[in-house]
Amino acid sequence: MTMRSLSSSFLPLRSVALACGLVLGAAAVQAAPDAKLLAAAEKAQPAVIDNLKEMVLIESGSLNVDGLLKMADVVEGRLKAAGFKTERRKATAGAGADIVIGTLKGTGKRKIMLQGHMDTVYAPGILGSQPYKVDGNRIYGPGIADDKGGLAVMLASLKILADAGWRDYDTLTVLMNPDEEVGSLGSGELIATMADQHDTVLSFEPTVAKSVVKGESLLLGAAGIATATLEVKGRASHAGAAPELGRNALYELSYQMLQTKDLAKDIPGATLNWTVARATGPLNQITEKAQAQGDIRITQPGAEKKLAEALQAKIASGKLIPDTETTVKVAVGRPAFIAGDKGRALAEKAQAIYKEIDRDLALTPMTGGGTDAGYAGRSGKATVVESFGLAGFGYHARDEYIEVDSIVPRVYLVTRLLTEIGKN
């Protein structure tokens, strides 16, 4: 039987193909969605919106310990409602807010971890100028996309699967940290350690809204973050009566920043941008000390070391102001995230699941923004994919929002993907 006669049959193409025992490619036959999971995702949408509102109305900036405590109470309560055993651990640096960990034992073989963060970038009082509001397909609020939307998707998905009696996993772990927006300095090592004990990690940062780009995506790579600190010591003198006796550290700092600003262009996998500069001393004094800090992004292992060596060599090659002393240090923070072949394979499985509900899912190879997926994938032991949160935009800015019509698809994606991971 030819494909032409198949397509003209009264039976649907998929039914005819199955009846005839034909095996067709994914492009020819699209798998049907899991009706029960899709119905559950649709039913869950109002509760997801209610949970979003509850969390957004809690101001939880990275230094707001009281707000982060309230967030921890909310998410811990929902994890307990889904059957999880929970615990709190204090972040080891920074404000010292609580990390929430939930664990659930199953009857399968795979160890799966889901992660997201409770903190936002916003200062106390932000709800006064940027309130929670609904406008058509958008819901606005500080932190609603980054990352409270991700937490809402995660919690809703886990509740759906718990209610369905799904237990096809050895261990299901949830980790929600309070300091992602400030580098996860107090939780990053815990994320890395726990991820190494799992086969798969799904991370729940947002995806970009379809009103901004063509479609939703998953993330396969994110830059690591480091900081360059440039310090200059000069000599103070009276700026009016004897400027020639001084050695202006501010001038020398400017010179060194300019001569190193393009240095990273010759180092694959590294970028450097000087972003902060400061000097100390009174107005009427030649500046004795000055400092600058630069934002470094790393997309290839070892690039930060090469950049540090290049900075040292460039600064040693010459100076503008005699008798000044310049030093530079590079401190590495959050590591780069590179999904690798296993991560790509998992993301491609997610693409196929999205096709079941007639939605496209792009795979973004790299972004300049940092993510805790870098800690989770640091050793390479776990398969890690990022951006299972809601579609949204405006994060770290004004008028942050999520798109309501991404809720059901994202919850369906996570529930279906978890069941597939459990099978394999």
Side-chain angles (χ1 to χ4, degrees), residues 110-117 154 171-177 188 190-205 218-220 337-340 342-347 350 371-389 414 417-418 421-422:
R110 309 297 291 175
K111 295 181 179 180
I112 308 168
M113 178 170 141
L114 287 70
Q115 67 177 24
H117 64 91
M154 184 195 305
T171 307
L172 195 57
T173 302
V174 173
L175 189 153
M176 300 180 183
N177 63 323
L190 177 63
I191 291 171
T193 298
M194 292 190 67
D196 284 353
Q197 299 167 8
H198 292 77
D199 303 301
T200 305
V201 178
L202 306 185
S203 193
F204 282 75
E205 293 286 359
L218 292 177
L219 183 61
L220 301 181
F337 163 53
I338 301 173
K342 289 183 179 180
R344 175 171 286 276
L346 181 62
T371 162
D372 282 339
Y375 283 112
R378 186 173 68 183
S379 72
K381 292 181 180 179
T383 299
V384 185
V385 178
E386 177 63 273
S387 295
F388 285 94
V414 174
L417 186 60
L418 285 173
I421 294 169

Side-chain angles (χ1 to χ4, degrees), residues 62-123:
S62 303
L63 301 180
N64 188 339
V65 176
D66 289 341
L68 289 166
L69 177 61
K70 293 176 183 177
M71 276 293 299
D73 289 342
V74 168
V75 298
E76 184 177 27
R78 292 183 180 272
L79 286 172
K80 287 181 176 179
F84 281 77
K85 177 183 177 181
T86 64
E87 64 171 307
R88 305 270 192 104
R89 298 190 194 181
K90 293 291 183 184
T92 58
D98 288 351
I99 302 166
V100 177
I101 301 169
T103 54
L104 197 59
K105 295 298 292 185
T107 57
K109 297 181 179 180
R110 309 297 291 175
K111 295 181 179 180
I112 308 168
M113 178 170 141
L114 287 70
Q115 67 177 24
H117 64 91
M118 300 177 288
D119 62 322
T120 76
V121 300
Y122 300 98

Side-chain angles (χ1 to χ4, degrees), residues 135-151:
D135 184 8
N137 188 46
R138 295 182 180 182
I139 304 179
Y140 291 84
I144 193 166
D146 185 16
D147 186 33
K148 295 179 181 182
L151 301 185

Side-chain angles (χ1 to χ4, degrees), residues 253-281:
L253 180 74
S254 301
Y255 172 77
Q256 296 294 352
M257 289 168 63
L258 288 172
Q259 80 158 347
T260 57
K261 70 181 181 69
D262 294 325
L263 204 58
K265 292 181 179 179
D266 296 325
I267 301 172
T271 65
L272 166 65
N273 288 288
W274 297 109
T275 54
V276 176
R278 62 179 66 89
T280 58

Side-chain angles (χ1 to χ4, degrees), residues 272-334:
L272 166 65
N273 288 288
W274 297 109
T275 54
V276 176
R278 62 179 66 89
T280 58
L283 179 63
N284 61 354
Q285 183 184 80
I286 297 298
T287 305
E288 183 176 21
K289 294 181 180 180
Q291 182 190 81
Q293 289 183 305
D295 179 279
I296 296 173
R297 302 290 162 137
I298 303 298
T299 58
Q300 290 187 20
E304 69 280 5
K305 183 178 180 181
K306 293 178 181 178
L307 178 58
E309 292 172 349
L311 283 168
Q312 296 282 5
K314 190 67 173 178
I315 288 168
S317 68
K319 61 182 68 176
L320 177 69
I321 308 296
D323 304 323
T324 55
E325 180 182 341
T326 301
T327 59
V328 64
K329 296 180 181 179
V330 172
V332 179
R334 183 183 283 117

Side-chain angles (χ1 to χ4, degrees), residues 403-422:
E403 293 178 331
V404 176
D405 63 4
S406 71
I407 293 174
V408 171
R410 285 273 150 170
V411 173
Y412 177 77
L413 172 63
V414 174
T415 53
R416 271 281 290 120
L417 186 60
L418 285 173
T419 61
E420 287 298 310
I421 294 169

